[in-house]
Short mmCIF file of all heavy atoms in Angstrom, two decimals:
data_model
loop_
_atom_site.label_atom_id
_atom_site.label_comp_id
_atom_site.label_asym_id
_atom_site.label_seq_id
_atom_site.Cartn_x
_atom_site.Cartn_y
_atom_site.Cartn_z
N MET A 238 -142.76 20.23 12.06
CA MET A 238 -143.19 21.05 10.95
C MET A 238 -144.71 21.02 10.90
O MET A 238 -145.33 19.98 10.98
CB MET A 238 -142.61 20.49 9.65
CG MET A 238 -143.03 21.28 8.45
SD MET A 238 -142.44 20.70 6.84
CE MET A 238 -141.02 19.76 7.16
N LYS A 239 -145.29 22.19 10.79
CA LYS A 239 -146.75 22.31 10.75
C LYS A 239 -147.26 21.81 9.40
O LYS A 239 -146.75 22.19 8.35
CB LYS A 239 -147.14 23.76 10.97
CG LYS A 239 -148.60 24.01 11.03
CD LYS A 239 -148.85 25.49 11.29
CE LYS A 239 -150.16 25.86 10.68
NZ LYS A 239 -150.38 27.29 10.66
N LEU A 240 -148.26 20.95 9.45
CA LEU A 240 -148.85 20.41 8.23
C LEU A 240 -149.55 21.53 7.47
O LEU A 240 -150.31 22.30 8.05
CB LEU A 240 -149.81 19.29 8.56
CG LEU A 240 -150.26 18.44 7.38
CD1 LEU A 240 -149.06 17.72 6.77
CD2 LEU A 240 -151.29 17.45 7.81
N LEU A 241 -149.30 21.63 6.20
CA LEU A 241 -149.82 22.67 5.30
C LEU A 241 -149.36 24.07 5.69
O LEU A 241 -150.01 25.05 5.39
CB LEU A 241 -151.34 22.61 5.19
CG LEU A 241 -151.90 21.34 4.55
CD1 LEU A 241 -153.40 21.38 4.55
CD2 LEU A 241 -151.37 21.14 3.16
N GLY A 242 -148.22 24.15 6.35
CA GLY A 242 -147.60 25.43 6.63
C GLY A 242 -146.71 25.85 5.46
O GLY A 242 -146.66 25.20 4.42
N ARG A 243 -145.99 26.94 5.65
CA ARG A 243 -145.15 27.45 4.58
C ARG A 243 -144.05 26.47 4.20
O ARG A 243 -143.80 26.23 3.02
CB ARG A 243 -144.54 28.79 5.00
CG ARG A 243 -143.78 29.48 3.90
CD ARG A 243 -143.28 30.85 4.34
NE ARG A 243 -142.40 30.78 5.48
CZ ARG A 243 -141.07 30.71 5.38
NH1 ARG A 243 -140.50 30.70 4.21
NH2 ARG A 243 -140.32 30.66 6.46
N ASN A 244 -143.39 25.87 5.20
CA ASN A 244 -142.31 24.92 4.92
C ASN A 244 -142.83 23.67 4.21
O ASN A 244 -142.16 23.13 3.33
CB ASN A 244 -141.60 24.52 6.20
CG ASN A 244 -140.79 25.65 6.78
OD1 ASN A 244 -140.45 26.60 6.07
ND2 ASN A 244 -140.51 25.58 8.06
N HIS A 245 -144.00 23.21 4.61
CA HIS A 245 -144.58 22.02 3.98
C HIS A 245 -144.92 22.28 2.52
O HIS A 245 -144.68 21.43 1.66
CB HIS A 245 -145.83 21.58 4.75
CG HIS A 245 -146.46 20.36 4.18
ND1 HIS A 245 -147.61 20.42 3.43
CD2 HIS A 245 -146.09 19.05 4.21
CE1 HIS A 245 -147.93 19.20 3.05
NE2 HIS A 245 -147.03 18.35 3.51
N ILE A 246 -145.44 23.46 2.22
CA ILE A 246 -145.78 23.80 0.84
C ILE A 246 -144.51 23.88 -0.01
O ILE A 246 -144.48 23.38 -1.14
CB ILE A 246 -146.56 25.14 0.79
CG1 ILE A 246 -147.87 25.03 1.58
CG2 ILE A 246 -146.82 25.58 -0.64
CD1 ILE A 246 -148.85 24.03 1.03
N ILE A 247 -143.46 24.47 0.53
CA ILE A 247 -142.20 24.59 -0.22
C ILE A 247 -141.62 23.21 -0.51
O ILE A 247 -141.20 22.92 -1.64
CB ILE A 247 -141.20 25.47 0.56
CG1 ILE A 247 -141.68 26.92 0.58
CG2 ILE A 247 -139.80 25.39 -0.05
CD1 ILE A 247 -140.89 27.82 1.51
N ILE A 248 -141.59 22.33 0.50
CA ILE A 248 -141.06 20.98 0.30
C ILE A 248 -141.93 20.20 -0.67
O ILE A 248 -141.41 19.43 -1.50
CB ILE A 248 -140.93 20.26 1.66
CG1 ILE A 248 -139.84 20.92 2.49
CG2 ILE A 248 -140.64 18.78 1.48
CD1 ILE A 248 -139.73 20.40 3.89
N SER A 249 -143.24 20.39 -0.62
CA SER A 249 -144.14 19.69 -1.54
C SER A 249 -143.92 20.14 -2.99
O SER A 249 -143.92 19.31 -3.90
CB SER A 249 -145.60 19.94 -1.16
OG SER A 249 -145.88 19.37 0.08
N VAL A 250 -143.72 21.43 -3.19
CA VAL A 250 -143.47 21.93 -4.55
C VAL A 250 -142.15 21.41 -5.08
O VAL A 250 -142.06 20.98 -6.25
CB VAL A 250 -143.51 23.48 -4.56
CG1 VAL A 250 -142.98 24.04 -5.85
CG2 VAL A 250 -144.92 23.97 -4.30
N ILE A 251 -141.12 21.39 -4.26
CA ILE A 251 -139.83 20.86 -4.69
C ILE A 251 -139.94 19.37 -5.01
O ILE A 251 -139.42 18.90 -6.03
CB ILE A 251 -138.76 21.12 -3.61
CG1 ILE A 251 -138.48 22.63 -3.52
CG2 ILE A 251 -137.47 20.36 -3.90
CD1 ILE A 251 -137.62 23.02 -2.35
N THR A 252 -140.63 18.61 -4.16
CA THR A 252 -140.82 17.18 -4.39
C THR A 252 -141.60 16.94 -5.68
O THR A 252 -141.24 16.07 -6.48
CB THR A 252 -141.57 16.54 -3.20
OG1 THR A 252 -140.82 16.77 -2.03
CG2 THR A 252 -141.76 15.06 -3.42
N PHE A 253 -142.66 17.72 -5.90
CA PHE A 253 -143.45 17.57 -7.12
C PHE A 253 -142.59 17.85 -8.35
O PHE A 253 -142.63 17.10 -9.32
CB PHE A 253 -144.65 18.52 -7.08
CG PHE A 253 -145.52 18.40 -8.30
CD1 PHE A 253 -146.51 17.45 -8.34
CD2 PHE A 253 -145.34 19.23 -9.39
CE1 PHE A 253 -147.32 17.32 -9.46
CE2 PHE A 253 -146.14 19.11 -10.51
CZ PHE A 253 -147.13 18.16 -10.55
N ALA A 254 -141.81 18.92 -8.32
CA ALA A 254 -140.99 19.29 -9.47
C ALA A 254 -139.95 18.21 -9.78
O ALA A 254 -139.76 17.83 -10.95
CB ALA A 254 -140.31 20.63 -9.22
N ILE A 255 -139.29 17.70 -8.76
CA ILE A 255 -138.26 16.68 -8.98
C ILE A 255 -138.88 15.40 -9.53
O ILE A 255 -138.38 14.83 -10.52
CB ILE A 255 -137.49 16.40 -7.67
CG1 ILE A 255 -136.62 17.61 -7.32
CG2 ILE A 255 -136.64 15.14 -7.79
CD1 ILE A 255 -135.98 17.52 -5.96
N LEU A 256 -139.97 14.92 -8.91
CA LEU A 256 -140.59 13.69 -9.39
C LEU A 256 -141.17 13.85 -10.79
O LEU A 256 -141.06 12.95 -11.62
CB LEU A 256 -141.69 13.24 -8.43
CG LEU A 256 -141.21 12.67 -7.10
CD1 LEU A 256 -142.39 12.42 -6.19
CD2 LEU A 256 -140.42 11.41 -7.32
N PHE A 257 -141.78 15.00 -11.06
CA PHE A 257 -142.34 15.22 -12.38
C PHE A 257 -141.25 15.23 -13.45
O PHE A 257 -141.37 14.56 -14.48
CB PHE A 257 -143.11 16.55 -12.41
CG PHE A 257 -143.68 16.86 -13.77
CD1 PHE A 257 -144.83 16.23 -14.20
CD2 PHE A 257 -143.05 17.76 -14.61
CE1 PHE A 257 -145.35 16.50 -15.45
CE2 PHE A 257 -143.56 18.04 -15.86
CZ PHE A 257 -144.71 17.41 -16.29
N LEU A 258 -140.19 15.97 -13.22
CA LEU A 258 -139.12 16.04 -14.22
C LEU A 258 -138.42 14.71 -14.41
O LEU A 258 -138.07 14.35 -15.55
CB LEU A 258 -138.11 17.13 -13.83
CG LEU A 258 -138.63 18.56 -13.96
CD1 LEU A 258 -137.60 19.54 -13.43
CD2 LEU A 258 -138.96 18.87 -15.41
N MET A 259 -138.20 13.97 -13.32
CA MET A 259 -137.56 12.66 -13.47
C MET A 259 -138.41 11.72 -14.32
O MET A 259 -137.87 10.97 -15.14
CB MET A 259 -137.33 12.03 -12.09
CG MET A 259 -136.17 12.60 -11.33
SD MET A 259 -136.00 11.94 -9.68
CE MET A 259 -135.90 10.21 -9.97
N ASN A 260 -139.71 11.75 -14.13
CA ASN A 260 -140.58 10.84 -14.88
C ASN A 260 -140.88 11.35 -16.28
O ASN A 260 -141.07 10.56 -17.20
CB ASN A 260 -141.89 10.62 -14.11
CG ASN A 260 -141.69 9.71 -12.94
OD1 ASN A 260 -141.42 8.54 -13.11
ND2 ASN A 260 -141.79 10.26 -11.75
N TYR A 261 -140.96 12.65 -16.46
CA TYR A 261 -141.30 13.20 -17.78
C TYR A 261 -140.11 13.11 -18.73
O TYR A 261 -140.25 12.71 -19.89
CB TYR A 261 -141.75 14.66 -17.64
CG TYR A 261 -142.28 15.23 -18.93
CD1 TYR A 261 -143.54 14.87 -19.39
CD2 TYR A 261 -141.52 16.10 -19.70
CE1 TYR A 261 -144.03 15.37 -20.58
CE2 TYR A 261 -142.00 16.62 -20.88
CZ TYR A 261 -143.26 16.26 -21.32
OH TYR A 261 -143.74 16.76 -22.50
N LEU A 262 -138.93 13.45 -18.25
CA LEU A 262 -137.75 13.45 -19.12
C LEU A 262 -137.22 12.04 -19.39
O LEU A 262 -136.64 11.79 -20.43
CB LEU A 262 -136.65 14.30 -18.51
CG LEU A 262 -136.98 15.78 -18.36
CD1 LEU A 262 -135.84 16.51 -17.66
CD2 LEU A 262 -137.29 16.41 -19.70
N GLY A 263 -137.44 11.13 -18.46
CA GLY A 263 -136.90 9.79 -18.61
C GLY A 263 -137.83 8.79 -19.26
O GLY A 263 -137.48 7.62 -19.43
N ASN A 264 -139.02 9.21 -19.64
CA ASN A 264 -140.01 8.30 -20.18
C ASN A 264 -140.20 8.56 -21.67
O ASN A 264 -140.29 9.71 -22.10
CB ASN A 264 -141.35 8.51 -19.45
CG ASN A 264 -142.32 7.41 -19.70
OD1 ASN A 264 -142.06 6.50 -20.47
ND2 ASN A 264 -143.46 7.49 -19.05
N HIS A 265 -140.26 7.50 -22.46
CA HIS A 265 -140.42 7.63 -23.90
C HIS A 265 -141.74 7.03 -24.39
O HIS A 265 -141.91 6.82 -25.58
CB HIS A 265 -139.25 6.96 -24.63
CG HIS A 265 -137.94 7.56 -24.25
ND1 HIS A 265 -137.59 8.85 -24.58
CD2 HIS A 265 -136.90 7.06 -23.56
CE1 HIS A 265 -136.38 9.10 -24.13
NE2 HIS A 265 -135.94 8.03 -23.49
N GLU A 266 -142.67 6.80 -23.47
CA GLU A 266 -143.97 6.26 -23.84
C GLU A 266 -144.88 7.38 -24.35
O GLU A 266 -144.58 8.56 -24.21
CB GLU A 266 -144.62 5.58 -22.63
CG GLU A 266 -143.82 4.43 -22.07
CD GLU A 266 -143.72 3.25 -23.01
OE1 GLU A 266 -144.69 2.99 -23.74
OE2 GLU A 266 -142.68 2.60 -23.01
N ALA A 267 -146.01 7.00 -24.92
CA ALA A 267 -146.93 7.99 -25.47
C ALA A 267 -147.65 8.79 -24.39
O ALA A 267 -148.00 9.95 -24.59
CB ALA A 267 -147.96 7.29 -26.36
N ASP A 268 -147.87 8.18 -23.22
CA ASP A 268 -148.61 8.85 -22.15
C ASP A 268 -147.68 9.34 -21.04
O ASP A 268 -148.00 9.26 -19.86
CB ASP A 268 -149.67 7.93 -21.57
CG ASP A 268 -149.09 6.68 -20.96
OD1 ASP A 268 -147.92 6.37 -21.24
OD2 ASP A 268 -149.80 6.02 -20.18
N LYS A 269 -146.55 9.90 -21.41
CA LYS A 269 -145.57 10.28 -20.40
C LYS A 269 -146.02 11.44 -19.52
O LYS A 269 -145.67 11.50 -18.35
CB LYS A 269 -144.21 10.58 -21.03
CG LYS A 269 -144.15 11.79 -21.90
CD LYS A 269 -142.75 11.94 -22.46
CE LYS A 269 -142.60 13.20 -23.29
NZ LYS A 269 -141.23 13.33 -23.77
N LEU A 270 -146.85 12.35 -20.04
CA LEU A 270 -147.35 13.46 -19.22
C LEU A 270 -148.27 12.95 -18.11
O LEU A 270 -148.13 13.36 -16.95
CB LEU A 270 -148.07 14.48 -20.09
CG LEU A 270 -148.66 15.67 -19.36
CD1 LEU A 270 -147.55 16.51 -18.74
CD2 LEU A 270 -149.49 16.51 -20.30
N GLU A 271 -149.18 12.06 -18.45
CA GLU A 271 -150.10 11.53 -17.45
C GLU A 271 -149.37 10.73 -16.37
O GLU A 271 -149.65 10.87 -15.18
CB GLU A 271 -151.17 10.64 -18.10
CG GLU A 271 -152.16 11.41 -18.95
CD GLU A 271 -151.68 11.64 -20.37
OE1 GLU A 271 -150.59 11.15 -20.72
OE2 GLU A 271 -152.39 12.32 -21.11
N ARG A 272 -148.42 9.91 -16.80
CA ARG A 272 -147.66 9.11 -15.83
C ARG A 272 -146.84 10.01 -14.92
O ARG A 272 -146.75 9.77 -13.71
CB ARG A 272 -146.73 8.15 -16.55
CG ARG A 272 -147.42 7.00 -17.18
CD ARG A 272 -146.41 6.05 -17.77
NE ARG A 272 -147.06 5.00 -18.54
CZ ARG A 272 -146.47 3.87 -18.84
NH1 ARG A 272 -145.23 3.66 -18.50
NH2 ARG A 272 -147.12 2.96 -19.53
N ALA A 273 -146.22 11.04 -15.48
CA ALA A 273 -145.40 11.94 -14.66
C ALA A 273 -146.26 12.70 -13.66
O ALA A 273 -145.86 12.87 -12.50
CB ALA A 273 -144.64 12.91 -15.57
N LEU A 274 -147.44 13.16 -14.08
CA LEU A 274 -148.32 13.89 -13.16
C LEU A 274 -148.83 12.98 -12.04
O LEU A 274 -148.86 13.39 -10.87
CB LEU A 274 -149.50 14.49 -13.93
CG LEU A 274 -149.20 15.72 -14.77
CD1 LEU A 274 -150.41 16.09 -15.62
CD2 LEU A 274 -148.79 16.87 -13.89
N MET A 275 -149.24 11.75 -12.38
CA MET A 275 -149.74 10.84 -11.36
C MET A 275 -148.65 10.47 -10.36
O MET A 275 -148.90 10.42 -9.15
CB MET A 275 -150.31 9.57 -12.01
CG MET A 275 -151.66 9.78 -12.62
SD MET A 275 -152.45 8.25 -13.12
CE MET A 275 -151.45 7.74 -14.50
N THR A 276 -147.44 10.23 -10.84
CA THR A 276 -146.35 9.88 -9.94
C THR A 276 -145.98 11.05 -9.04
O THR A 276 -145.74 10.87 -7.84
CB THR A 276 -145.12 9.44 -10.76
OG1 THR A 276 -145.48 8.36 -11.60
CG2 THR A 276 -143.98 9.04 -9.86
N ALA A 277 -145.96 12.25 -9.59
CA ALA A 277 -145.61 13.42 -8.78
C ALA A 277 -146.69 13.69 -7.73
O ALA A 277 -146.36 13.99 -6.57
CB ALA A 277 -145.42 14.63 -9.68
N PHE A 278 -147.96 13.60 -8.10
CA PHE A 278 -149.03 13.79 -7.11
C PHE A 278 -148.99 12.71 -6.04
O PHE A 278 -149.19 13.00 -4.85
CB PHE A 278 -150.41 13.80 -7.78
CG PHE A 278 -150.77 15.12 -8.37
CD1 PHE A 278 -151.12 15.21 -9.70
CD2 PHE A 278 -150.77 16.28 -7.61
CE1 PHE A 278 -151.46 16.42 -10.26
CE2 PHE A 278 -151.12 17.50 -8.15
CZ PHE A 278 -151.46 17.57 -9.49
N ALA A 279 -148.72 11.47 -6.42
CA ALA A 279 -148.63 10.39 -5.43
C ALA A 279 -147.46 10.62 -4.48
O ALA A 279 -147.57 10.34 -3.28
CB ALA A 279 -148.49 9.05 -6.14
N GLY A 280 -146.35 11.13 -4.99
CA GLY A 280 -145.21 11.43 -4.13
C GLY A 280 -145.52 12.52 -3.13
O GLY A 280 -145.14 12.43 -1.95
N VAL A 281 -146.22 13.55 -3.55
CA VAL A 281 -146.58 14.64 -2.64
C VAL A 281 -147.60 14.16 -1.61
O VAL A 281 -147.51 14.51 -0.42
CB VAL A 281 -147.12 15.85 -3.43
CG1 VAL A 281 -147.73 16.88 -2.52
CG2 VAL A 281 -146.01 16.47 -4.25
N ILE A 282 -148.54 13.32 -2.01
CA ILE A 282 -149.52 12.78 -1.06
C ILE A 282 -148.82 11.88 -0.04
O ILE A 282 -149.10 11.95 1.16
CB ILE A 282 -150.64 12.04 -1.80
CG1 ILE A 282 -151.51 13.05 -2.54
CG2 ILE A 282 -151.49 11.21 -0.84
CD1 ILE A 282 -152.50 12.44 -3.48
N GLY A 283 -147.90 11.05 -0.50
CA GLY A 283 -147.14 10.19 0.41
C GLY A 283 -146.30 11.00 1.39
O GLY A 283 -146.20 10.67 2.57
N LEU A 284 -145.69 12.07 0.90
CA LEU A 284 -144.91 12.95 1.77
C LEU A 284 -145.81 13.59 2.82
O LEU A 284 -145.44 13.67 4.00
CB LEU A 284 -144.23 14.03 0.93
CG LEU A 284 -143.46 15.10 1.70
CD1 LEU A 284 -142.14 14.52 2.18
CD2 LEU A 284 -143.23 16.30 0.82
N SER A 285 -146.98 14.04 2.42
CA SER A 285 -147.91 14.68 3.36
C SER A 285 -148.39 13.70 4.43
O SER A 285 -148.48 14.05 5.61
CB SER A 285 -149.11 15.24 2.62
OG SER A 285 -148.70 16.23 1.71
N ILE A 286 -148.69 12.47 4.02
CA ILE A 286 -149.13 11.46 4.99
C ILE A 286 -148.00 11.15 5.97
O ILE A 286 -148.21 11.05 7.18
CB ILE A 286 -149.62 10.19 4.28
CG1 ILE A 286 -150.92 10.48 3.55
CG2 ILE A 286 -149.80 9.03 5.26
CD1 ILE A 286 -151.37 9.37 2.63
N GLY A 287 -146.78 11.02 5.47
CA GLY A 287 -145.64 10.76 6.34
C GLY A 287 -145.38 11.88 7.32
O GLY A 287 -145.11 11.65 8.50
N LEU A 288 -145.47 13.13 6.87
CA LEU A 288 -145.29 14.26 7.76
C LEU A 288 -146.42 14.37 8.78
O LEU A 288 -146.20 14.78 9.91
CB LEU A 288 -145.16 15.55 6.96
CG LEU A 288 -143.85 15.73 6.22
CD1 LEU A 288 -143.90 16.97 5.35
CD2 LEU A 288 -142.68 15.80 7.18
N PHE A 289 -147.64 14.00 8.37
CA PHE A 289 -148.76 14.01 9.30
C PHE A 289 -148.53 13.00 10.43
O PHE A 289 -148.74 13.30 11.61
CB PHE A 289 -150.07 13.70 8.57
CG PHE A 289 -151.25 13.58 9.47
CD1 PHE A 289 -151.80 14.71 10.05
CD2 PHE A 289 -151.81 12.34 9.75
CE1 PHE A 289 -152.90 14.61 10.88
CE2 PHE A 289 -152.89 12.24 10.59
CZ PHE A 289 -153.45 13.37 11.16
N ILE A 290 -148.08 11.81 10.08
CA ILE A 290 -147.81 10.77 11.09
C ILE A 290 -146.66 11.20 11.99
O ILE A 290 -146.70 11.04 13.21
CB ILE A 290 -147.53 9.42 10.41
CG1 ILE A 290 -148.80 8.90 9.75
CG2 ILE A 290 -146.98 8.41 11.41
CD1 ILE A 290 -148.58 7.70 8.85
N LEU A 291 -145.62 11.78 11.40
CA LEU A 291 -144.47 12.25 12.18
C LEU A 291 -144.88 13.38 13.12
O LEU A 291 -144.48 13.41 14.28
CB LEU A 291 -143.36 12.72 11.25
CG LEU A 291 -142.09 13.24 11.90
CD1 LEU A 291 -141.35 12.07 12.53
CD2 LEU A 291 -141.23 13.94 10.89
N ASN A 292 -145.68 14.31 12.65
CA ASN A 292 -146.09 15.45 13.45
C ASN A 292 -147.10 15.06 14.53
O ASN A 292 -147.16 15.69 15.58
CB ASN A 292 -146.70 16.53 12.55
CG ASN A 292 -146.81 17.86 13.24
OD1 ASN A 292 -146.06 18.15 14.16
ND2 ASN A 292 -147.74 18.67 12.79
N LYS A 293 -147.88 14.01 14.29
CA LYS A 293 -148.90 13.58 15.25
C LYS A 293 -148.26 13.08 16.55
O LYS A 293 -148.76 13.34 17.63
CB LYS A 293 -149.77 12.49 14.63
CG LYS A 293 -150.96 12.12 15.45
CD LYS A 293 -151.87 11.21 14.67
CE LYS A 293 -151.67 9.80 15.13
NZ LYS A 293 -152.62 8.86 14.55
N GLY A 294 -147.17 12.37 16.46
CA GLY A 294 -146.54 11.81 17.65
C GLY A 294 -145.51 12.72 18.29
O GLY A 294 -144.93 12.38 19.30
N LYS A 295 -145.31 13.91 17.73
CA LYS A 295 -144.26 14.79 18.24
C LYS A 295 -144.62 15.40 19.59
O LYS A 295 -143.78 15.49 20.48
CB LYS A 295 -143.98 15.90 17.23
CG LYS A 295 -142.78 16.73 17.57
CD LYS A 295 -142.57 17.80 16.52
CE LYS A 295 -141.57 17.29 15.52
NZ LYS A 295 -141.17 18.33 14.58
N ASN A 296 -145.84 15.83 19.79
CA ASN A 296 -146.24 16.49 21.02
C ASN A 296 -147.09 15.58 21.90
O ASN A 296 -148.02 16.03 22.55
CB ASN A 296 -147.03 17.78 20.69
CG ASN A 296 -146.18 18.78 19.96
OD1 ASN A 296 -144.99 18.89 20.20
ND2 ASN A 296 -146.79 19.50 19.03
N ASP A 297 -146.75 14.32 21.93
CA ASP A 297 -147.51 13.34 22.71
C ASP A 297 -147.09 13.45 24.18
O ASP A 297 -145.94 13.28 24.52
CB ASP A 297 -147.25 11.94 22.18
CG ASP A 297 -148.23 10.93 22.75
OD1 ASP A 297 -149.21 11.35 23.38
OD2 ASP A 297 -148.00 9.74 22.53
N LYS A 298 -148.06 13.73 25.06
CA LYS A 298 -147.78 13.89 26.49
C LYS A 298 -147.77 12.56 27.23
O LYS A 298 -147.26 12.48 28.33
CB LYS A 298 -148.83 14.81 27.12
CG LYS A 298 -148.87 16.18 26.53
CD LYS A 298 -147.65 16.98 26.88
CE LYS A 298 -147.83 18.40 26.38
NZ LYS A 298 -146.66 18.99 25.83
N SER A 299 -148.36 11.52 26.65
CA SER A 299 -148.42 10.23 27.33
C SER A 299 -147.83 9.15 26.43
O SER A 299 -148.55 8.50 25.68
CB SER A 299 -149.86 9.88 27.70
OG SER A 299 -150.65 9.86 26.54
N PRO A 300 -146.51 8.94 26.46
CA PRO A 300 -145.92 7.88 25.64
C PRO A 300 -146.32 6.51 26.13
O PRO A 300 -146.81 6.37 27.25
CB PRO A 300 -144.41 8.12 25.82
CG PRO A 300 -144.29 8.81 27.12
CD PRO A 300 -145.55 9.63 27.28
N PRO A 301 -146.13 5.48 25.32
CA PRO A 301 -146.48 4.12 25.75
C PRO A 301 -145.68 3.69 26.97
O PRO A 301 -144.52 4.07 27.14
CB PRO A 301 -146.13 3.24 24.55
CG PRO A 301 -145.87 4.16 23.43
CD PRO A 301 -145.64 5.52 23.97
N GLN A 302 -146.30 2.91 27.83
CA GLN A 302 -145.64 2.44 29.05
C GLN A 302 -144.67 1.32 28.73
O GLN A 302 -144.93 0.47 27.89
CB GLN A 302 -146.68 1.94 30.05
CG GLN A 302 -147.65 3.00 30.51
CD GLN A 302 -146.95 4.12 31.27
OE1 GLN A 302 -146.03 3.87 32.04
NE2 GLN A 302 -147.40 5.34 31.06
N ASN A 303 -143.51 1.33 29.39
CA ASN A 303 -142.49 0.29 29.25
C ASN A 303 -142.08 0.09 27.79
O ASN A 303 -142.01 -1.04 27.31
CB ASN A 303 -142.95 -1.03 29.85
CG ASN A 303 -143.25 -0.87 31.33
OD1 ASN A 303 -142.59 -0.11 32.03
ND2 ASN A 303 -144.27 -1.57 31.80
N PHE A 304 -141.85 1.14 27.10
CA PHE A 304 -141.46 1.04 25.69
C PHE A 304 -139.98 0.76 25.58
O PHE A 304 -139.14 1.53 26.01
CB PHE A 304 -141.80 2.35 24.97
CG PHE A 304 -141.50 2.29 23.50
CD1 PHE A 304 -142.33 1.59 22.65
CD2 PHE A 304 -140.40 2.94 22.97
CE1 PHE A 304 -142.06 1.53 21.30
CE2 PHE A 304 -140.13 2.90 21.63
CZ PHE A 304 -140.96 2.19 20.80
N ASP A 305 -139.64 -0.42 25.07
CA ASP A 305 -138.23 -0.81 24.90
C ASP A 305 -137.97 -1.20 23.49
O ASP A 305 -138.58 -1.96 22.87
CB ASP A 305 -137.86 -1.97 25.82
CG ASP A 305 -137.77 -1.52 27.26
OD1 ASP A 305 -137.45 -0.35 27.49
OD2 ASP A 305 -138.04 -2.35 28.14
#
């Protein structure tokens, strides 16, 4: 999957919406909006970093030698 392509944006929006709603609806603290936004942004950033690492090794022409 291409980083910051159409599929990545769609998955990021879905991830943000799910994490935001889970944290906003399930929290009864006074700062629930801030906590929900921070958690949702952190989830999307973590997803992007994971996809970047996954995509980086996908087209590797020289794999490690004797990898067992």
Side-chain angles (χ1 to χ4, degrees):
M238 179 181 337
K239 183 179 151 190
L240 193 63
L241 296 177
R243 187 176 60 93
N244 290 340
H245 181 256
I246 300 296
I247 292 170
I248 292 173
S249 295
V250 168
I251 292 170
T252 302
F253 181 86
I255 290 172
L256 288 173
F257 178 78
L258 289 175
M259 283 175 56
N260 285 292
Y261 187 75
L262 297 176
N264 194 356
H265 300 293
E266 300 294 325
D268 62 343
K269 67 181 183 178
L270 179 65
E271 290 85 3
R272 287 184 187 199
L274 285 172
M275 284 190 290
T276 303
F278 278 125
V281 170
I282 290 171
L284 176 76
S285 298
I286 291 171
L288 287 174
F289 176 73
I290 291 170
L291 180 70
N292 195 26
K293 188 171 102 173
K295 189 180 265 188
N296 297 326
D297 192 11
K298 300 290 186 219
S299 58
Q302 298 296 322
N303 300 325
F304 183 75
D305 288 331

